[in-house]
C-alpha cells in the first residue's frame, strides 16, 4: 500500500488538539514513517491549502471551524459526509480529494462502549445544533427505535438540523427536550473550559437517563462529574475523539490502529 505523502489536522486554532498525540502513537506502533502534524489554517486560506495538500497526496482530519466548509473542497464525498454536510477525514484517490465523516461512527461506538444504548424505543435529547449535533443526529437516525429532540439557544439552527434528519424534531424548551429522554447529549462547547455552568441541570434528567458530553477534559467535564454524582451513567467526549481518530486511521491505511497505544497517549 502506498502511504499518503503527508498526514495533517486542519483547524483554526489547533494548538490545543489531542489528535497529534494519539495519531502519532498509532503511527509509531504501526511502524509507518509518517508524522501527524497540526496545521493552523485561517478560513480564507482553506481552499488553497486543500489544493496544495491534494498535490502532495496528503491525508488527514479537519476540525473546528472547517468541517462544513471543507465539503466544497472535496471532489468526492462519502454518503455519510454528504448526508451530514461535514467532513472530518480526507485522503487523495487518483489525484482527487475524497471527504468522509468518522464523527458519526465515533459517536455511535463511544456511546455503545461507555454509557450503552438504551432499549428501544427511546428518545435522545441533543443540546446544541452545530456540526457535532449533526453527527449525533445521523447516528441516532441509524439506531433502531430511536428518536431525537434538538434544542439550541438559536431556535432556527435546531429547526434546520431537524429538517435534515429522519425521526428528529426541534423543540422550543430545554425541559421539553430532556424530560423522558433516555440519553442526553451535550453538543455545545459548555464544559470545555471547565466552567461550572452546565448545559443541562443534572436534576432535569430522568433517574435512569444516560449522559454523553461531546466536550472532554481530564477527569471528566463538570457536567459529567455532576451527572455521575447523581448516580447517572455518564461519559465525556474523549472516547468519541479517540474512536473517530481510529476510524480515520482505518480509512487512510486500510488497517486497524493500535487503539491501546492511542488511549495510553492521552491518558
Ligand atoms: P458549533 O458548530 O460551533 O456549534 C455549537 C453549538 O453549541 C451551537 O448550537 C451553539 O449555539 C451552541 N452553543 C455555543 N456556545 C453556547 C453557550 N455558551 N450556551 C449554549 N449553547 C451554546 O460547534 P460543534 O462543531 O458542533 O462542536 C460542539 C462541541 O462538540 C465542541 O465542544 C466540540 O469540541 C465538541 N466536539 C467533540 C467531538 C469529539 O470527538 N468528542 C467531535 C466534534 C465536536 P448558537 O448557534 O446559538 O451559537
Amino acid at each position: 500500500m502506498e502511504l499518503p505523502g503527508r498526514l495533517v489536522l486542519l483547524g483554526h486554532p489547533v494548538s490545543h488538539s489531542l489528535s497529534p498525540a494519539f495519531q502519532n502513537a498509532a503511527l509509531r506502533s504501526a511502524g509507518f514513517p509518517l508524522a501527524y502534524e497540526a496545521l493552523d489554517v485561517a478560513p480564507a486560506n482553506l481552499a488553497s491549502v486543500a489544493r496544495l495538500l491534494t498535490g502532495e497526496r496528503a491525508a488527514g482530519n479537519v476540525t473546528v471551524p472547517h468541517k462544513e466548509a471543507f465539503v466544497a473542497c472535496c471532489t468526492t464525498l462519502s454518503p455519510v459526509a454528504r448526508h451530514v454536510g461535514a467532513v472530518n477525514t480526507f485522503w487523495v484517490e487518483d489525484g482527487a480529494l475524497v471527504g468522509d465523516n468518522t464523527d458519526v461512527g465515533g459517536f455511535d461506538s463511544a456511546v455503545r462502549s461507555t454509557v450503552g444504548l438504551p432499549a428501544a424505543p427511546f428518545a435522545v435529547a441533543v443540546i446544541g445544533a452545530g456540526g457535532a449535533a449533526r453527527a449525533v443526529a445521523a447516528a441516532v437516525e441509524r439506531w433502531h427505535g430511536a428518536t431525537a429532540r434538538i434544542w439550541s439557544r438559536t431556535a432556527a439552527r435546531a429547526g434546520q438540523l431537524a429538517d435534515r434528519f429522519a425521526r428528529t424534531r426541534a423543540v422550543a424548551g430545554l425541559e421539553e427536550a430532556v424530560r423522558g429522554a433516555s440519553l442526553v447529549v451535550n453538543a455545545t462547547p459548555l464544559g470545555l473550559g471547565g466552567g461550572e455552568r452546565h448545559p443541562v441541570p443534572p436534576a432535569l434528567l430522568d433517574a435512569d437517563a444516560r449522559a454523553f458530553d461531546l466536550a472532554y477534559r481530564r477527569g471528566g467535564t463538570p457536567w459529567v462529574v455532576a451527572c455521575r454524582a447523581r448516580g447517572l451513567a455518564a461519559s465525556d467526549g474523549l472516547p468519541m475523539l479517540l474512536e473517530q481518530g481510529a476510524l480515520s486511521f482505518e480509512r487512510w491505511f486500510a488497517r486497524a490502529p493500535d487503539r491501546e497505544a492511542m488511549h495510553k497517549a492521552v491518558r
Side-chain angles (χ1 to χ4, degrees):
M1 196 201 78
E2 197 182 14
L3 294 177
R6 204 174 166 190
L7 210 50
V8 297
L9 169 68
L10 306 180
H12 183 63
V14 278
S15 51
H16 65 281
S17 174
L18 295 178
S19 297
F22 63 73
Q23 291 292 5
N24 281 315
L27 290 167
R28 277 193 300 276
S29 176
F32 291 146
L34 276 172
Y36 181 97
E37 3 152 24
L39 291 186
D40 203 326
V41 180
N45 298 333
L46 185 65
S48 56
V49 168
R51 279 193 296 277
L52 281 174
L53 291 171
T54 306
E56 292 178 305
R57 270 190 324 96
N61 290 119
V62 184
T63 187
V64 181
H66 300 314
K67 289 183 189 183
E68 283 92 357
F70 203 76
V71 166
C73 301
C74 296
T75 307
T76 309
L77 292 173
S78 68
V80 64
R82 188 175 305 111
H83 186 43
V84 172
V87 166
N88 81 325
T89 303
F90 69 91
W91 61 89
V92 175
E93 220 169 275
D94 300 328
L97 198 56
V98 182
D100 197 357
N101 188 309
T102 64
D103 280 336
V104 179
F107 172 74
D108 181 326
S109 173
V111 168
R112 290 173 192 274
S113 66
T114 57
V115 296
L117 275 194
F122 64 99
V124 181
V126 184
I127 313 307
R134 284 201 228 165
V136 171
V140 174
E141 218 180 23
R142 294 174 176 179
W143 291 341
H144 170 67
T147 52
R149 309 160 181 173
I150 316 291
W151 181 81
S152 173
R153 67 177 179 183
T154 305
R157 274 187 103 178
Q160 283 158 10
L161 193 151
D163 289 344
R164 197 175 185 110
F165 298 96
R167 291 184 280 113
T168 302
R169 66 185 170 92
V171 295
L174 182 61
E175 279 204 47
E176 192 188 342
V178 173
R179 293 264 186 236
S182 303
L183 175 64
V184 179
V185 181
N186 173 36
T188 77
L190 284 170
L192 214 51
E196 288 310 308
R197 198 181 138 213
H198 296 313
V200 182
L204 266 193
L205 272 69
D206 282 12
D208 58 353
R210 300 140 205 245
F212 194 94
D213 196 346
L214 264 52
Y216 44 85
R217 276 180 72 75
R218 260 184 223 288
T221 59
W223 187 58
V224 165
V225 170
C227 287
R228 286 185 182 146
R230 240 207 93 194
L232 307 177
S235 172
D236 77 2
L238 188 58
M240 172 179 171
L241 184 76
L242 285 161
E243 190 52 28
Q244 62 77 33
L247 295 173
S248 296
F249 188 103
E250 290 179 6
R251 304 293 193 277
W252 304 323
F253 302 115
R255 60 175 273 187
D258 179 345
R259 283 177 167 77
E260 185 52 34
M262 295 172 82
H263 285 233
K264 270 195 193 142
V266 291
R267 238 178 241 149

